[in-house]
Amino acid sequence: MTRLLKRRQFLQGTIGATAGIGLSNLRAQAHKFHGSDEYIEALVIGSGFGGGVASLRLGEAGIETIVLERGRRWTITDAGNTFSPYDKVDGRAAFLSPTALFFNAGTPIDIYTGILSGKLGVGNSIGALNGAGVGGTSLVYGGITSQPTERLFYEVFPRSIKYSELDSIYYPRVRSILKATVIPDDILQSPYYLSSCIFLEQAAKAGLKARKIPIAFDWDIVRQEIAGKKKPSIISGQYYYGAESGAKNSVDRNYLKIAEKTGHVEIRPLHVVTEISEFRDNLYKVVCNQINEQGEVLAQKHFVCRYLFLAAGSIGTTELLVRARKERTLRRLSDRVGFGWGTNADSVTTVISNKQTNPTFGTPGVVAIEHFDNPIAPVLLEPFPIPSVPQGAAIILGQGITKPEGYFSYNASTKSTDLFWPNTSPNNQKLAKAIQYTYQLINQANGTSLAGPPDFSSTGHPLGGAIIGQVCDTYGQVYGYRNLFIVDGSLIPASSACANPSLTIAALAERSVDRFLNDIGKHSRR
């Protein structure tokens, strides 16, 4: 049966029966908006962790689904030339930006639909980074798949979310799809992860708890890199713009790949959503620009859907909802849309020692110090290899529990948002003291020192903006709107409880879509 026929049957049957209107009447109403609306049962905006989960589970349920992704599809080649290198950065490194955003930031590059996107807070208060492309931020993350403890989870999330359910069902489910496992000892003991081994030694001397963290890598491919059979990417620290060897188990290589194989999911790259609105009769309308790889608009597309899943990330989803509330295309949205944003307490610190550290090799977070009993505030520390760091130094990524103090304000002149972050708030000053307390223990025990205070000026883990209990319920359903769901980091209240966010985002999305499918299953049996 063709996709077109399936959609026609859906429109004639499911929508007609549920909404009380026929196909011809629906089309007549749709043409009042635009003459070329496309109809689909479910629409997913964004293809990262939340979007990947939603698309797979919808496809498995036989629900015809389109995934709209602003970025391009990144196909790894045997030639090893898919992504931008660090040393000769080019347009592939940033999404429609004239300059690089991270490594070699400010370097002029060609305007291109590159893999990394960013947003700068007003007054340079914060720089927030996320991914762009089929796979979303999973394309640019370090594969770290860390789970928060139950105690810290409930410092952030409401008790109505059962941690035991996440722990027994959804966290393991996500890890199994991502194939996240701890680093094997033979790879950890290689020169490429020397900084991680030193980190474990330093933790032991300081009496701090440290352990391996599950990583979504194919370690056999990493071994091929070490053996010279694959282009070095993981072992050489070339992971942030994508892994040329294919060792990173990003969402495009599992969730999205399996979703497309169901035959019910179609991914459309280079579609930038500009507007979401209530259509009528519990339907939604989505407007987007189809662009080319240089960002030029080729066409404007209009969709009408019954089920709408927002998965464009903390920044993307929040901007769409703030705009929809301001322009009254979703009139019943909570006035808390845009609030509750935070950085997951991300910080970067340089630790100086008198040892060889190989600080540019390997990848972050294969091991971590969990100083959760820090008397000031809980702290998570992970080695973070980046280029251009001299021997004897090591870059460490710190995380903690940020309060949801940031917010987005609508900017009518740009039809976008401005991001405000109080980087000197009492809570953020407390977090700085907590992480310095942990480093003091490390330095005293190991004879190391800090090159400077922890830098909290950027985050790779933007969270919040449409948070649980204010904009949506604990299953991500937006208050006041049936069949409109948030399944990404924007529903998380500024912090994923002293852990990297990807696992919790995906687990909450699995839980949300499970509930949704169970509910519509009950409805169909009535």
Side-chain angles (χ1 to χ4, degrees), residues 143-347:
I144 307 168
T145 312
S146 58
Q147 178 176 330
T149 66
E150 182 173 7
R151 177 179 68 85
L152 295 180
F153 182 86
Y154 284 126
E155 287 194 20
V156 176
F157 294 93
R159 291 274 173 181
S160 52
I161 299 177
K162 294 181 179 179
Y163 182 88
S164 59
E165 183 181 53
L166 294 176
D167 185 48
S168 61
I169 300 172
Y170 297 115
Y171 283 139
R173 182 189 294 180
V174 174
R175 282 192 293 264
S176 70
I177 295 289
L178 296 178
K179 295 182 172 58
T181 57
V182 299
I183 185 171
D185 285 338
D186 63 305
I187 298 176
L188 179 61
Q189 297 300 325
S190 73
Y192 306 103
Y193 283 93
L194 177 61
S195 61
S196 294
C197 290
I198 291 172
F199 191 68
L200 290 175
E201 294 173 1
Q202 292 173 341
K205 288 181 180 180
L208 295 170
K209 177 185 176 182
R211 67 182 182 94
K212 294 180 178 180
I213 301 294
I215 305 291
F217 286 170
D218 184 329
W219 295 111
D220 285 337
I221 293 181
V222 177
R223 290 189 178 97
Q224 292 177 49
E225 289 187 30
I226 294 173
K229 298 178 181 178
K230 289 279 189 179
K231 182 173 181 177
S233 50
I234 298 301
I235 62 173
S236 63
Q238 300 271 338
Y239 60 89
Y240 213 88
Y241 293 154
E244 295 283 18
S245 67
K248 187 188 296 187
N249 295 331
S250 49
V251 170
D252 55 317
R253 301 167 66 83
N254 38 73
Y255 274 103
L256 295 173
K257 183 177 180 179
I258 303 168
E260 289 182 294
K261 286 183 177 179
T262 67
H264 299 290
V265 176
E266 179 184 352
I267 300 173
R268 298 196 184 179
L270 301 175
H271 281 65
V272 181
V273 175
T274 58
E275 179 182 314
I276 55 176
S277 62
E278 191 173 16
F279 188 67
R280 54 177 57 99
D281 301 299
N282 293 316
L283 302 175
Y284 297 96
K285 186 178 181 70
V286 173
V287 180
C288 68
N289 290 328
Q290 182 181 1
I291 62 174
N292 63 16
E293 292 182 345
Q294 286 68 45
E296 299 167 333
V297 176
L298 304 178
Q300 189 179 74
K301 299 291 186 71
H302 297 246
F303 298 88
V304 172
C305 64
R306 184 180 179 190
Y307 309 121
L308 180 56
F309 292 81
L310 304 181
S314 170
I315 295 170
T317 288
T318 302
E319 287 193 335
L320 287 172
L321 289 173
V322 168
R323 186 182 308 140
R325 185 175 185 276
K326 186 67 176 181
E327 298 182 355
R328 300 186 64 77
T329 59
L330 293 174
R331 295 170 180 265
R332 297 187 302 280
L333 283 176
S334 165
D335 60 7
R336 297 301 298 169
V337 164
F339 291 88
W341 187 85
T343 67
N344 208 43
D346 281 0
S347 68

Side-chain angles (χ1 to χ4, degrees), residues 86-104:
Y86 291 168
D87 57 346
K88 296 181 180 179
V89 66
D90 59 39
R92 293 171 295 175
F95 185 80
L96 302 181
S97 171
T99 61
L101 302 175
F102 194 44
F103 301 131
N104 296 316

Side-chain angles (χ1 to χ4, degrees), residues 96-130:
L96 302 181
S97 171
T99 61
L101 302 175
F102 194 44
F103 301 131
N104 296 316
T107 301
I109 56 176
D110 293 336
I111 298 291
Y112 188 73
T113 47
I115 202 167
L116 191 64
S117 178
K119 188 174 184 69
L120 191 63
V122 172
N124 295 335
S125 59
I126 192 71
L129 297 169
N130 56 2

Side-chain angles (χ1 to χ4, degrees), residues 34 42 46 60 62 101 216 243 277 291-292 307 315 355 424 465 472 479 524:
H34 198 271
E60 288 179 333
L101 302 175
S277 62
I291 62 174
N292 63 16
Y307 309 121
I315 295 170
K355 294 183 176 181
T424 59
C472 62
Y479 291 137
S524 67

Side-chain angles (χ1 to χ4, degrees), residues 405-420:
E405 299 177 310
Y407 66 94
F408 294 79
S409 178
Y410 186 70
N411 187 324
S413 64
T414 61
K415 289 187 176 294
S416 183
T417 61
D418 295 324
L419 173 61
F420 294 85

